[in-house]
């Protein structure tokens, strides 16, 4: 009997887990799947990206978690490719490598002052409030205890998430799974005004209506439309005519502009048709210079030379995520993705046998969680087609135990270890009447995985 094909999935976010599910669920080809993640816990952006107050989206993790129970799927957490395992190592142990490690870094604005103290990548702030083990607990202590005016650059769903987390009342977040230090810092936060800055108009924003609407429904914050929310230009009209979401977004903003002032404790200011030109200040961020833009018929923004400044204590750059390369695999530096044809990794125009890609590192950082399911299924379809080739089984050491022996000196978190982390987080949450409190410290996560109760 031929042995199962051995597949290593690198990254346990939604695309990795959906790919594992698609591989494990089919019966045509016998497979054995190892999902390898550098973090001790699975689920990637579902755990460290989806905002803690979006409970229904976060609950996707219950669906993803079921995949880890499948007999032919293993989780190998706390193992980093490039540190604990190299690409040649993976080639020795697996017939196929499926890269699903996402896009975890921030895109740069490319303007002066971007690196000043108080200029913050949204990706870092999101990591902090979701309890990512790489972000120190006090990373934003000074910002949150001193800043009152904050600018957020970008008008996508991450900008909306960050804004909501900054202005929500304690009662609106206390039921979430945020680490306790995050909740405490947000509860004591001095931030009163968040300025969301879009370089184009409301019809060109990438946020979705449900998420946008939430900003107008907050207990302690009101929305104020500051500049150029007009959508009567040709490009905006055309976008509204062809896109229901665009039309709804514009309608939401239009309705907000009619609302009487509420004298709320916190304010969300929307600035459209303003592009950032410079972040400045003596020691840290003191102001941001914006240039008014005009939108052409194709919806592109052009500077008008009309500059203004906004006095702010911090700038959060929320202009999209960026994928990064991995040693030995081709990389497209323009799109920040791994070049591929429907998930088969391409080098010099031809597929590299046995190497695949899915999720954000395949197509770029767009779409909702569910988008990754279709995307992963497409890649897995090609992998299974290729597996029909007699030469597909290439692993020099085809036994599961070979990789285990290789990793003997690494503290690996397996599925039972993850279940112990899960139980520890639920137990910690129960002490404060919550479903869960996220453990943020890597040592604590590893202790919990090995059965040590966290303090
Ligand atoms: P995004 O939707 O791509 O938004 C990026 C924003 O940054 C856009 O408004 C973009 O404007 C702006 N931008 C880019 N470069 C800029 C520059 N140099 N100067 C000024 N503005 C600039 O990215 P995201 O918000 O990071 O979200 C990533 C993905 O995750 C999206 O697909 C999003 O829907 C998804 N997500 C979903 C949820 C949810 O469903 N609840 C939550 C969070 C994230 P232009 O359009 O003009 O380039």
């Amino acid at each position: 009997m031929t042995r199962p094909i051995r597949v290593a999935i690198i990254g346990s976010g939604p695309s990795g887990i959906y790919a594992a599910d698609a591989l494990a669920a089919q019966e045509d080809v016998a497979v054995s799947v190892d999902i390898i993640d550098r973090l001790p816990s699975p689920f990637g952006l579902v755990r460290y990206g989806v905002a803690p107050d979006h409970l229904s989206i976060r609950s996707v993790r219950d669906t993803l978690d079921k995949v880890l129970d499948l007999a032919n799927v293993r989780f190998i957490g706390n193992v980093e490719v490039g540190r604990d395992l190299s690409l040649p190592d993976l080639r020795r142990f697996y017939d196929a490598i499926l890269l699903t490690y996402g896009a975890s870094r921030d895109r740069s604005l490319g303007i002066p002052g971007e690196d000043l103290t108080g200029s913050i990548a949204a990706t870092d702030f999101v990591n902090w409030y979701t309890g990512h083990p790489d972000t120190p607990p006090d990373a934003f202590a000074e910002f949150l205890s001193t800043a009152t005016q904050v600018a957020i650059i970008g008008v996508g769903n991450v900008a909306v998430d960050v804004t909501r987390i900054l202005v929500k009342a304690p009662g609106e977040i206390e039921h979430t799974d945020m680490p306790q230090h995050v909740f405490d810092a947000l509860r004591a936060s001095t931030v009163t005004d968040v300025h969301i800055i879009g370089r184009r108009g409301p019809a060109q924003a990438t946020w979705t209506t449900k998420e946008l609407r939430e900003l107008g429904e907050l207990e302690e914050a009101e929305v104020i439309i500051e500049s150029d929310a007009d959508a009567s230009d040709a490009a905006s009209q055309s976008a509204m005519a062809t896109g229901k979401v665009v039309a709804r977004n514009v309608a939401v903003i239009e309705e907000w502009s009619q609302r009487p002032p509420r004298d709320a404790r916190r304010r969300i200011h929307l600035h459209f048709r303003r592009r950032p030109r410079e972040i400045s200040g003596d020691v840290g961020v003191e102001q941001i210079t914006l240039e008014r833009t005009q939108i052409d018929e194709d919806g592109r923004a052009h500077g008008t030379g009309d500059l203004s400044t906004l006095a702010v204590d911090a700038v959060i750059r929320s202009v999209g995520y960026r994928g990064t390369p991995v040693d030995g695999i081709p990389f497209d530096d323009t799109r920040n993705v791994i070049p591929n044809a429907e998930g088969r990794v391409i080098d010099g125009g031809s597929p590299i046998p046995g190497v695949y890609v899915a999720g954000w590192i395949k197509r770029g950082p767009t779409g909702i969680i569910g988008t990754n399911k279709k995307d992963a299924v497409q890649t897995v379809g090609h992998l299974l087609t290729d597996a029909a080739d007699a030469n597909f089984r290439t692993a020099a050491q085809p036994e599961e135990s070979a990789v285990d022996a290789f990793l003997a000196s690494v503290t690996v978190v397996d599925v039972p270890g993850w279940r112990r982390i899960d139980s520890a987080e639920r137990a910690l949450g129960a002490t404060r009447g919550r479903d869960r409190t996220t453990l943020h410290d890597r040592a604590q996560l590893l202790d919990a995985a090995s059965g040590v109760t966290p303090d």
Side-chain angles (χ1 to χ4, degrees), residues 54 57 107 109 153-159 161 199-200 204 206 208 211 276 318-321 360 365-368:
H54 273 171
I57 309 181
R107 287 184 55 215
L109 273 176
I153 311 297
V155 287
N157 277 331
V158 171
D161 281 350
R199 63 178 167 181
R200 301 189 287 159
Q204 286 80 32
T206 50
T208 41
E211 281 63 32
S318 181
V319 295
Y321 283 78
W360 276 9
T366 57
I368 57 171

Short mmCIF file of all heavy atoms in Angstrom, two decimals, residues 54 57 107 109 153-159 161 199-200 204 206 208 211 276 318-321 360 365-368, ligand 1:
data_model
loop_
_atom_site.label_atom_id
_atom_site.label_comp_id
_atom_site.label_asym_id
_atom_site.label_seq_id
_atom_site.Cartn_x
_atom_site.Cartn_y
_atom_site.Cartn_z
N HIS A 54 -15.55 42.01 18.33
CA HIS A 54 -16.34 41.38 17.26
C HIS A 54 -16.50 39.89 17.58
O HIS A 54 -15.88 39.03 16.95
CB HIS A 54 -15.66 41.60 15.90
CG HIS A 54 -16.06 42.89 15.26
ND1 HIS A 54 -15.46 43.39 14.15
CD2 HIS A 54 -17.04 43.79 15.59
CE1 HIS A 54 -16.04 44.55 13.82
NE2 HIS A 54 -16.99 44.80 14.68
N ILE A 57 -17.51 37.28 14.79
CA ILE A 57 -16.45 36.92 13.83
C ILE A 57 -15.40 36.05 14.55
O ILE A 57 -14.91 35.06 14.02
CB ILE A 57 -15.78 38.17 13.21
CG1 ILE A 57 -16.82 39.13 12.65
CG2 ILE A 57 -14.82 37.76 12.09
CD1 ILE A 57 -16.25 40.39 11.99
N ARG A 107 2.26 48.19 5.83
CA ARG A 107 2.78 48.90 4.65
C ARG A 107 3.26 50.27 5.10
O ARG A 107 2.76 50.84 6.07
CB ARG A 107 1.66 49.06 3.61
CG ARG A 107 1.34 47.75 2.91
CD ARG A 107 0.30 47.97 1.83
NE ARG A 107 0.71 48.97 0.90
CZ ARG A 107 -0.12 49.84 0.30
NH1 ARG A 107 -1.40 49.82 0.58
NH2 ARG A 107 0.33 50.73 -0.55
N LEU A 109 4.05 54.40 4.66
CA LEU A 109 3.43 55.58 4.04
C LEU A 109 4.41 56.29 3.12
O LEU A 109 4.01 56.97 2.18
CB LEU A 109 3.03 56.58 5.13
CG LEU A 109 1.68 56.44 5.79
CD1 LEU A 109 1.55 57.48 6.89
CD2 LEU A 109 0.57 56.63 4.77
N ILE A 153 -4.58 57.07 9.73
CA ILE A 153 -4.47 57.21 8.27
C ILE A 153 -5.03 55.95 7.62
O ILE A 153 -4.59 54.84 7.95
CB ILE A 153 -3.00 57.36 7.81
CG1 ILE A 153 -2.27 58.41 8.64
CG2 ILE A 153 -2.93 57.68 6.32
CD1 ILE A 153 -2.80 59.79 8.51
N GLY A 154 -5.97 56.12 6.70
CA GLY A 154 -6.55 54.97 6.01
C GLY A 154 -8.01 54.82 6.39
O GLY A 154 -8.40 55.11 7.53
N VAL A 155 -8.82 54.40 5.41
CA VAL A 155 -10.25 54.26 5.66
C VAL A 155 -10.72 52.85 5.27
O VAL A 155 -11.64 52.66 4.47
CB VAL A 155 -11.06 55.37 4.93
CG1 VAL A 155 -10.87 56.69 5.65
CG2 VAL A 155 -10.65 55.53 3.47
N GLY A 156 -10.04 51.86 5.87
CA GLY A 156 -10.42 50.45 5.69
C GLY A 156 -10.98 49.91 7.00
O GLY A 156 -11.15 50.64 7.99
N ASN A 157 -11.26 48.62 7.02
CA ASN A 157 -11.86 48.02 8.22
C ASN A 157 -10.92 47.99 9.42
O ASN A 157 -11.37 48.01 10.57
CB ASN A 157 -12.34 46.60 7.90
CG ASN A 157 -13.72 46.61 7.26
OD1 ASN A 157 -14.52 47.51 7.51
ND2 ASN A 157 -13.98 45.63 6.41
N VAL A 158 -9.60 47.95 9.17
CA VAL A 158 -8.68 47.98 10.32
C VAL A 158 -8.75 49.35 10.99
O VAL A 158 -8.78 49.45 12.22
CB VAL A 158 -7.24 47.61 9.88
CG1 VAL A 158 -6.26 47.88 11.01
CG2 VAL A 158 -7.18 46.15 9.46
N ALA A 159 -8.83 50.43 10.19
CA ALA A 159 -8.97 51.77 10.76
C ALA A 159 -10.23 51.85 11.62
O ALA A 159 -10.24 52.44 12.70
CB ALA A 159 -9.00 52.81 9.64
N ASP A 161 -11.74 49.29 13.12
CA ASP A 161 -11.52 48.48 14.34
C ASP A 161 -10.73 49.28 15.38
O ASP A 161 -11.10 49.34 16.55
CB ASP A 161 -10.68 47.23 14.02
CG ASP A 161 -11.49 46.11 13.37
OD1 ASP A 161 -12.73 46.22 13.34
OD2 ASP A 161 -10.88 45.13 12.91
N ARG A 199 -7.52 59.48 1.90
CA ARG A 199 -6.94 60.32 0.83
C ARG A 199 -7.91 60.50 -0.32
O ARG A 199 -7.69 61.32 -1.20
CB ARG A 199 -5.62 59.74 0.36
CG ARG A 199 -5.71 58.36 -0.27
CD ARG A 199 -4.34 57.93 -0.75
NE ARG A 199 -4.31 56.52 -1.08
CZ ARG A 199 -3.23 55.89 -1.51
NH1 ARG A 199 -2.11 56.54 -1.64
NH2 ARG A 199 -3.27 54.61 -1.78
N ARG A 200 -8.98 59.67 -0.33
CA ARG A 200 -9.99 59.85 -1.39
C ARG A 200 -11.34 60.14 -0.72
O ARG A 200 -11.38 60.52 0.45
CB ARG A 200 -10.02 58.61 -2.28
CG ARG A 200 -8.65 58.38 -2.92
CD ARG A 200 -8.66 57.31 -3.98
NE ARG A 200 -8.80 55.97 -3.40
CZ ARG A 200 -9.23 54.93 -4.09
NH1 ARG A 200 -9.58 55.06 -5.34
NH2 ARG A 200 -9.30 53.74 -3.51
N GLN A 204 -14.82 55.91 -2.09
CA GLN A 204 -13.63 55.10 -2.40
C GLN A 204 -13.10 54.39 -1.15
O GLN A 204 -12.09 53.69 -1.21
CB GLN A 204 -12.52 55.99 -2.98
CG GLN A 204 -12.76 56.42 -4.42
CD GLN A 204 -13.72 57.59 -4.53
OE1 GLN A 204 -13.77 58.44 -3.65
NE2 GLN A 204 -14.51 57.63 -5.59
N THR A 206 -12.58 51.64 1.76
CA THR A 206 -12.65 50.18 1.62
C THR A 206 -13.36 49.50 2.80
O THR A 206 -13.45 48.28 2.84
CB THR A 206 -11.24 49.58 1.44
OG1 THR A 206 -10.40 50.09 2.48
CG2 THR A 206 -10.64 49.95 0.09
N THR A 208 -16.44 48.18 5.20
CA THR A 208 -17.73 47.60 4.84
C THR A 208 -18.82 48.25 5.71
O THR A 208 -18.54 48.78 6.79
CB THR A 208 -17.70 46.07 5.02
OG1 THR A 208 -16.99 45.76 6.21
CG2 THR A 208 -16.99 45.40 3.85
N GLU A 211 -19.50 47.36 9.50
CA GLU A 211 -18.42 47.84 10.37
C GLU A 211 -18.47 49.36 10.51
O GLU A 211 -18.33 49.90 11.60
CB GLU A 211 -17.06 47.41 9.79
CG GLU A 211 -16.67 45.97 10.04
CD GLU A 211 -17.60 44.93 9.41
OE1 GLU A 211 -18.16 45.21 8.33
OE2 GLU A 211 -17.77 43.86 10.01
N PRO A 276 -1.79 62.37 3.60
CA PRO A 276 -0.73 62.78 4.55
C PRO A 276 0.54 63.14 3.79
O PRO A 276 0.93 62.44 2.87
CB PRO A 276 -0.53 61.52 5.39
CG PRO A 276 -1.02 60.39 4.57
CD PRO A 276 -2.06 60.93 3.65
N SER A 318 -2.81 53.04 9.21
CA SER A 318 -3.63 51.85 8.93
C SER A 318 -3.85 51.74 7.43
O SER A 318 -4.97 51.87 6.94
CB SER A 318 -4.96 51.98 9.68
OG SER A 318 -5.75 50.85 9.44
N VAL A 319 -2.73 51.56 6.72
CA VAL A 319 -2.79 51.59 5.25
C VAL A 319 -2.57 50.22 4.64
O VAL A 319 -2.15 50.08 3.49
CB VAL A 319 -1.81 52.63 4.67
CG1 VAL A 319 -2.21 54.04 5.10
CG2 VAL A 319 -0.37 52.36 5.08
N GLY A 320 -2.87 49.19 5.39
CA GLY A 320 -2.83 47.84 4.84
C GLY A 320 -1.69 47.00 5.39
O GLY A 320 -0.70 47.53 5.91
N TYR A 321 -1.87 45.70 5.29
CA TYR A 321 -0.85 44.74 5.74
C TYR A 321 0.10 44.45 4.58
O TYR A 321 -0.21 44.74 3.42
CB TYR A 321 -1.51 43.43 6.17
CG TYR A 321 -2.18 43.47 7.54
CD1 TYR A 321 -3.43 44.05 7.74
CD2 TYR A 321 -1.56 42.88 8.64
CE1 TYR A 321 -4.05 44.05 8.98
CE2 TYR A 321 -2.18 42.88 9.89
CZ TYR A 321 -3.42 43.46 10.05
OH TYR A 321 -4.02 43.46 11.28
N TRP A 360 -3.51 35.26 2.30
CA TRP A 360 -3.01 36.61 2.01
C TRP A 360 -1.64 36.59 1.34
O TRP A 360 -1.33 37.47 0.55
CB TRP A 360 -2.96 37.43 3.31
CG TRP A 360 -4.27 38.06 3.66
CD1 TRP A 360 -5.48 37.83 3.04
CD2 TRP A 360 -4.52 39.04 4.67
NE1 TRP A 360 -6.45 38.61 3.63
CE2 TRP A 360 -5.90 39.35 4.63
CE3 TRP A 360 -3.72 39.67 5.63
CZ2 TRP A 360 -6.49 40.28 5.49
CZ3 TRP A 360 -4.31 40.58 6.49
CH2 TRP A 360 -5.67 40.89 6.43
N PRO A 365 -3.44 41.19 1.00
CA PRO A 365 -4.26 41.30 2.22
C PRO A 365 -5.65 41.88 1.96
O PRO A 365 -5.94 43.01 2.34
CB PRO A 365 -3.42 42.23 3.10
CG PRO A 365 -2.67 43.07 2.14
CD PRO A 365 -2.44 42.26 0.92
N THR A 366 -6.50 41.11 1.33
CA THR A 366 -7.86 41.59 1.08
C THR A 366 -8.87 40.49 1.38
O THR A 366 -8.52 39.30 1.40
CB THR A 366 -8.05 41.97 -0.41
OG1 THR A 366 -7.74 40.81 -1.19
CG2 THR A 366 -7.17 43.11 -0.83
N GLY A 367 -10.10 40.93 1.56
CA GLY A 367 -11.20 39.97 1.71
C GLY A 367 -11.49 39.65 3.17
O GLY A 367 -10.73 40.00 4.06
N ILE A 368 -12.64 39.00 3.36
CA ILE A 368 -13.04 38.63 4.72
C ILE A 368 -12.55 37.20 5.00
O ILE A 368 -11.99 36.55 4.10
CB ILE A 368 -14.57 38.74 4.89
CG1 ILE A 368 -15.29 37.87 3.85
CG2 ILE A 368 -15.01 40.18 4.79
CD1 ILE A 368 -16.77 37.74 4.09
P1 LIG B 1 -7.53 48.18 3.28
O1 LIG B 1 -8.98 47.83 3.27
O2 LIG B 1 -6.72 47.89 2.08
O3 LIG B 1 -7.45 49.75 3.61
C1 LIG B 1 -6.26 50.46 3.52
C2 LIG B 1 -6.58 51.95 3.52
O4 LIG B 1 -5.34 52.65 3.52
C3 LIG B 1 -7.33 52.42 2.28
O5 LIG B 1 -8.25 53.40 2.67
C4 LIG B 1 -6.23 53.05 1.43
O6 LIG B 1 -6.68 54.08 0.59
C5 LIG B 1 -5.37 53.64 2.50
N1 LIG B 1 -4.02 53.92 2.04
C6 LIG B 1 -3.15 53.07 1.45
N2 LIG B 1 -1.99 53.69 1.19
C7 LIG B 1 -2.15 54.98 1.61
C8 LIG B 1 -1.31 56.11 1.61
N3 LIG B 1 -0.06 56.07 1.13
N4 LIG B 1 -1.81 57.27 2.12
C9 LIG B 1 -3.05 57.33 2.61
N5 LIG B 1 -3.89 56.28 2.65
C10 LIG B 1 -3.45 55.12 2.15
O7 LIG B 1 -6.75 47.48 4.46
P2 LIG B 1 -7.08 47.15 5.99
O8 LIG B 1 -8.02 48.13 6.60
O9 LIG B 1 -5.75 46.95 6.61
O10 LIG B 1 -7.83 45.75 5.92
C11 LIG B 1 -7.19 44.59 5.36
C12 LIG B 1 -8.23 43.54 5.00
O11 LIG B 1 -8.78 42.98 6.19
C13 LIG B 1 -9.41 44.13 4.22
O12 LIG B 1 -9.83 43.20 3.26
C14 LIG B 1 -10.45 44.30 5.29
O13 LIG B 1 -11.78 44.33 4.82
C15 LIG B 1 -10.18 43.09 6.16
N6 LIG B 1 -10.72 43.32 7.51
C16 LIG B 1 -12.01 42.99 7.72
C17 LIG B 1 -12.58 43.24 8.95
C18 LIG B 1 -14.02 42.88 9.18
O14 LIG B 1 -14.63 42.24 8.32
N7 LIG B 1 -14.63 43.26 10.26
C19 LIG B 1 -11.85 43.84 9.97
C20 LIG B 1 -10.52 44.18 9.72
C21 LIG B 1 -9.96 43.92 8.47
P3 LIG B 1 -6.78 53.87 -1.00
O15 LIG B 1 -7.98 53.02 -1.21
O16 LIG B 1 -6.87 55.23 -1.51
O17 LIG B 1 -5.51 53.14 -1.41
#
